[in-house]
Amino acid sequence: MELCRLTIHELQERLRKREVCSLEATEEVFKRIEEVEEKVHAFVTLTKEEAFEQARAADRRIAADEQIGPLNGIPISLKDIFVTKDILTTCSSKILSNFIPPYDGTVVKKVKDAGAVILGKTNMDEFAMGSSNENSYFGVTRNPWDLTRVPGGSSGGSAVSVAADECIASLGTDTGGSIRQPAGCCGVVGMKPTYGRVSRYGIVAFASSLDQVGPLTKDVTDCAILMNVISGYDPKDSTSIPEEVPDYTQSLVADVKGIKIGVPKEYFIKGTDPEVEAAVQEALKLLEGLGAEIKEVSLPHAEYGVAAYYLIAPAEASSNLARYDGVKYGYRSPESERLLEMYRMTKTEGFGPEVKRRIMLGTYALSAGYYDAYYLKAQKVRTLIRKDFEEVFRHCDVVITPTAPTPAFKLGEKTEDPLQMYLSDIFTISCNLAGIPGLSLPCGFSKEGLPIGLQILGDFLKEEVIIRVAHTYEQSTDWHQRRPGGI
Ligand code: GLN
């Protein structure tokens, strides 16, 4: 098999046995990128020279029999939201289109210390706001399963780079579904860890009480490997959890006997594509056959999740994005002569329409007289959603739902109707509001050949049980081995 198609654990094995070297693997991945990038546009920036340098260093460590890290010589991509030292970090926005950070964020440092080779920065919805990757200043990313369709978002570039074998694995961020939904659309595995499990230091902030970093990978084993590398307490992130990190690869056991799976009745809603529903029901049957117990549960406040999220996330964004004023870094409007005019022009020219919409929504929700009616109410709904999950996890180990109501939609299909776009997040958002972990993995294909995602949610810091259920399911299916044929 071509090296670019391998998973982390497969490539690790070959590197360890010295059958191949990291430089060869990295060269092959770049060859693949050259072949398909024009069609899919998964990257904003490629860092070829740096990657070759890192690959050579990884090979030297292997040759010298040094102690090597868990990602030694593995080519990965990073969503362009990760702050990377000396490498352009745009968040797919014009306002950061010239921003070269002077430092690496914690997760970037961790993957570098683990020996990874960084291929480049992937395209995304501007400031991670979107579900289709159509909100990028650098143009759309296309779904490798059907180039007329969206890859999902906002970590669409990361999901595509994994699905199209333009990397071995990738890292993204998830504020309301931005890892899981594109993973579902592109037929790869994506995990949002518990809020606070992974450091947010050096991630461009969108909605700080919801943002979380996580892996996008070709299988569940790789997800566990990356979780081991990126998780852990970080004094530089005040919301990071000071808890020991378990070895997630220990959860890669194919056994769900006695596992209790909750299926929320509110999640099989009108508007869910029948093929999606059928694939999820099929997956549940399979897990039941393997010894899991399926129970119907209720998450009565789930239906208010989208409304609460689209108040809380924009409110936090309106505050986080106030820093882009053209003064200290990033884009500055060249035209203006006076300070206030410079602020106004910089923001007017630098932000795209969806980002402006969010800033206005958020500013409105936080303004005097409306705060109680909107923001405060949304926070109360958030508490109710968290309590719903607390109740369910008293007697269930995991909750299973579709990742999204439909497979990947057509490019342009929802751009004129933000509400329709927001509804793509209907199944993923509650998990962020509750702060719990969730994972999406492929569970079938539509008649049109589009991947369908299965979402597994777990209790606070219970990533291990999610990984175990996901791995068991994956071992009994071959969805994860399929690759888009058309590109
Ligand atoms: N699609 C959601 C939004 O537009 C989620 C984005 C995310 O998770 N970053 O806000």
Side-chain angles (χ1 to χ4, degrees):
M1 196 170 19
E2 291 165 74
L3 297 175
C4 61
R5 302 208 173 249
L6 299 179
T7 60
I8 297 178
H9 56 100
E10 288 164 347
L11 181 56
Q12 258 173 358
E13 167 113 8
R14 295 204 190 182
L15 291 169
R16 215 175 287 134
K17 289 189 184 150
R18 305 192 188 190
E19 290 170 8
V20 293
C21 64
S22 171
L23 189 60
E24 263 176 276
T26 307
E27 278 169 355
E28 266 210 33
V29 175
F30 273 109
K31 226 172 76 204
R32 175 72 180 162
I33 293 174
E34 268 154 41
E35 256 167 51
V36 298
E37 189 53 12
E38 207 164 87
K39 295 182 200 152
V40 293
H41 188 217
F43 286 89
V44 171
T45 302
L46 289 167
T47 49
K48 204 169 176 174
E49 286 317 308
E50 293 88 340
F52 287 153
E53 204 36 63
Q54 289 161 350
R56 282 189 208 102
D59 287 332
R60 281 197 294 273
R61 286 191 291 270
I62 295 175
D65 265 332
E66 276 177 36
Q67 184 80 3
I68 55 165
L71 298 178
N72 193 61
I74 307 288
I76 65 165
S77 66
L78 298 175
K79 184 179 185 179
D80 206 15
I81 199 166
F82 288 90
V83 168
T84 41
K85 187 173 187 321
D86 300 333
I87 291 168
L88 191 66
T89 297
T90 69
C91 228
S92 285
S93 180
K94 180 174 178 182
I95 216 153
L96 283 176
S97 54
N98 60 1
F99 177 49
I100 299 181
Y103 72 106
D104 278 329
T106 298
V107 168
V108 175
K109 191 169 174 320
K110 279 182 185 244
V111 293
K112 279 189 176 170
D113 289 348
V117 171
I118 306 204
L119 300 161
K121 311 287 294 288
T122 58
N123 200 10
M124 54 185 280
D125 285 300
E126 183 178 2
F127 283 103
M129 297 172 189
S131 313
S132 69
N133 251 62
E134 292 166 298
N135 298 336
S136 167
Y137 173 61
F138 300 100
V140 301
T141 297
R142 290 168 189 273
N143 192 316
W145 294 93
D146 175 349
L147 296 172
T148 68
R149 292 184 186 261
V150 304
S154 64
S155 311
S158 281
V160 170
S161 67
V162 176
D165 293 310
E166 293 182 281
C167 65
I168 303 300
S170 189
L171 289 175
T173 59
D174 189 314
T175 304
S178 278
I179 290 174
R180 289 159 290 151
Q181 187 257 10
C185 288
C186 294
V188 302
V189 176
M191 180 169 223
K192 181 203 94 76
T194 302
Y195 180 77
R197 175 81 294 186
V198 182
S199 170
R200 288 182 296 109
Y201 178 72
I203 307 297
V204 178
F206 163 12
S208 308
S209 78
L210 301 157
D211 297 342
Q212 190 57 193
V213 173
L216 290 114
T217 55
K218 297 179 189 178
D219 67 11
V220 178
T221 302
D222 280 5
C223 175
I225 293 171
L226 275 181
M227 280 296 294
N228 279 355
V229 174
I230 63 175
S231 301
Y233 175 66
D234 179 9
K236 293 192 179 112
D237 172 1
S238 63
T239 60
S240 126
I241 302 172
E243 284 274 338
E244 272 306 293
V245 179
D247 176 358
Y248 292 108
T249 61
Q250 295 292 315
S251 304
L252 298 166
V253 278
D255 179 14
V256 286
K257 267 181 229 83
I259 294 276
K260 296 188 184 68
I261 299 177
V263 181
K265 57 173 188 246
E266 294 84 0
Y267 273 54
F268 290 90
I269 49 156
K270 218 170 74 213
T272 302
D273 184 299
E275 289 189 279
V276 170
E277 187 165 342
V280 173
Q281 295 294 4
E282 213 36 59
L284 288 168
K285 240 189 266 159
L286 193 148
L287 287 164
E288 193 172 28
L290 293 169
E293 193 186 317
I294 313 286
K295 297 176 161 200
E296 188 182 84
V297 295
S298 176
L299 292 166
H301 301 95
E303 64 173 303
Y304 307 110
V306 172
Y309 171 88
Y310 278 98
L311 284 163
I312 294 169
E316 293 184 18
S318 70
S319 158
N320 273 328
L321 270 57
R323 72 189 73 176
Y324 304 107
D325 55 8
V327 176
K328 294 182 279 303
Y329 57 95
Y331 173 79
R332 175 186 298 177
S333 170
E335 306 299 331
S336 44
E337 282 167 5
R338 291 163 195 279
L339 184 66
L340 286 183
E341 190 189 338
M342 192 279 283
Y343 287 155
R344 190 170 55 76
M345 297 291 285
T346 295
K347 289 173 190 257
T348 305
E349 294 162 18
F351 290 130
E354 182 60 26
V355 175
K356 285 180 185 150
R357 184 178 297 125
R358 304 280 178 114
I359 292 173
M360 285 190 282
L361 278 171
T363 309
Y364 182 80
L366 289 176
S367 52
Y370 296 106
Y371 183 96
D372 290 0
Y374 295 113
Y375 182 71
L376 194 65
K377 211 169 194 173
Q379 290 290 19
K380 288 180 179 169
V381 171
R382 181 175 189 175
T383 303
L384 293 173
I385 289 175
R386 189 168 50 73
K387 287 192 167 153
D388 281 356
F389 278 110
E390 264 170 33
E391 187 51 41
V392 165
F393 287 126
R394 254 188 262 276
H395 45 89
C396 285
D397 298 296
V398 292
V399 163
I400 287 189
T401 76
T403 303
T406 64
F409 45 91
K410 291 263 185 198
L411 283 158
E413 194 179 316
K414 301 191 184 191
T415 39
E416 297 308 312
D417 188 349
L419 195 58
Q420 276 309 312
M421 188 72 88
Y422 297 171
L423 287 173
S424 326
D425 308 329
I426 195 156
F427 299 138
T428 45
I429 266 175
S430 305
C431 163
N432 301 76
L433 290 171
I436 58 172
L439 174 147
S440 175
L441 84 166
C443 71
F445 286 83
S446 71
K447 279 193 220 74
E448 291 179 290
L450 301 169
I452 296 172
L454 182 78
Q455 178 174 239
I456 309 176
L457 304 173
D459 201 358
F460 200 70
L461 287 179
K462 292 283 169 21
E463 282 81 357
E464 290 158 285
V465 58
I466 298 181
I467 289 172
R468 176 167 154 203
V469 174
H471 179 70
T472 308
Y473 175 76
E474 187 185 73
Q475 292 305 297
S476 324
T477 58
D478 69 352
W479 311 120
H480 62 292
Q481 279 155 356
R482 306 214 187 165
R483 290 289 192 280
I487 54 156

